[in-house]
């Protein structure tokens, strides 16, 4: 448990790391998380994801205790279908337990994403006019930028 030393990241506006689930518990990934200001976490709308979030937040609290630093969190609901009771219950739990970190964007259940993955072509290229690209993902980028500005102003 060493002291976290600051690194000069001023020449970068954004650095994106794509980490596997349960990353916060992986000691190899902790340095990446320590370098992050904002952690965007896709959350599948089911009970197992809620349990995973509990573990992630526990690891982030431990990082804060050990190093005095942990990233802010933005939870992104995915596979969202408001008509399903399971999704409604999960949404209620997310609001109750993690409301301050919950994104206003909800990525709906869609065949476009798995189809794009199976074709190995990004959705933005295969279907640039998709509502996911023009609406939901654009809103997500706006929200990430807004959160990033808030984080930067706190540090200034």
């Amino acid at each position: 448990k060493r002291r976290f030393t600051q690194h000069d990241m001023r020449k970068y506006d954004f650095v994106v790391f794509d980490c596997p689930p349960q990353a916060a518990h992986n000691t190899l990934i902790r340095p990446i998380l320590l370098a992050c200001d904002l952690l965007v976490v896709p959350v599948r709308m089911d009970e197992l994801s809620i349990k995973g979030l509990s573990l992630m937040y526990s690891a982030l609290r431990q990082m804060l205790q050990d190093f005095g630093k942990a990233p802010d969190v933005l939870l992104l609901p995915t596979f969202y279908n408001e008509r399903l009771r399971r999704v409604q219950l999960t949404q209620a739990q997310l609001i109750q337990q993690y409301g301050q970190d919950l994104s206003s964007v909800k990525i709906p259940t869609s065949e476009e994403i798995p189809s794009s993955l199976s074709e190995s072509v990004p959705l933005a290229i295969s279907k640039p006019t998709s509502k996911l690209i023009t609406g939901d993902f654009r809103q997500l980028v706006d929200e990430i930028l807004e959160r990033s500005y808030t984080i930067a102003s706190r540090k200034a």
Side-chain angles (χ1 to χ4, degrees):
K1 297 185 179 180
R2 296 174 303 215
R3 203 176 81 126
F4 176 73
T5 57
Q6 296 291 331
H7 295 282
D8 186 3
M9 300 293 282
R10 289 178 291 186
K11 62 183 173 179
Y12 303 101
D13 290 326
F14 291 92
V15 177
V16 177
F17 297 105
D18 184 5
C19 298
Q22 306 299 334
H25 290 285
N26 185 328
T27 56
L28 297 174
I29 294 177
R30 282 195 182 181
I32 293 170
L33 294 176
L34 283 168
C36 291
D37 292 318
L38 179 62
L39 181 61
V40 180
V41 181
V43 180
R44 190 179 193 112
M45 298 303 288
D46 59 35
E47 185 63 31
L48 192 57
S49 292
I50 298 290
K51 289 180 183 176
L53 285 177
S54 175
L55 294 172
M56 181 197 76
Y57 275 96
S58 173
L60 292 177
R61 280 190 299 275
Q62 188 64 48
M63 286 173 59
L64 187 59
Q65 185 177 346
D66 292 347
F67 301 102
K69 182 182 186 318
D72 283 22
V73 176
L74 178 63
L75 301 175
L76 175 65
T78 63
F79 296 96
Y80 193 86
N81 182 342
E82 65 188 14
R83 292 174 284 169
L84 297 177
R85 178 88 172 124
R86 165 186 53 82
V87 171
Q88 293 169 3
L89 292 172
T90 302
Q91 177 74 5
Q93 278 186 288
L94 285 173
I95 291 169
Q96 181 183 3
Q97 295 176 13
Y98 310 108
Q100 74 281 358
D101 295 337
L102 191 58
S103 173
S104 62
V105 177
K106 296 165 183 69
I107 304 300
T109 300
S110 169
E111 186 53 34
E112 290 179 327
I113 294 172
S115 174
S116 172
L117 289 172
S118 70
E119 295 169 5
S120 298
V121 177
L123 186 59
I125 293 172
S126 66
K127 295 186 179 184
T129 59
S130 161
K131 182 189 175 305
L132 282 173
I133 297 299
T134 61
D136 300 317
F137 289 152
R138 185 175 300 266
Q139 271 185 279
L140 176 60
V141 168
D142 289 344
E143 189 169 1
I144 290 170
L145 287 172
E146 185 178 316
R147 288 275 186 114
S148 298
Y149 295 140
T150 301
I151 292 166
S153 69
R154 279 195 325 246
K155 289 184 166 194

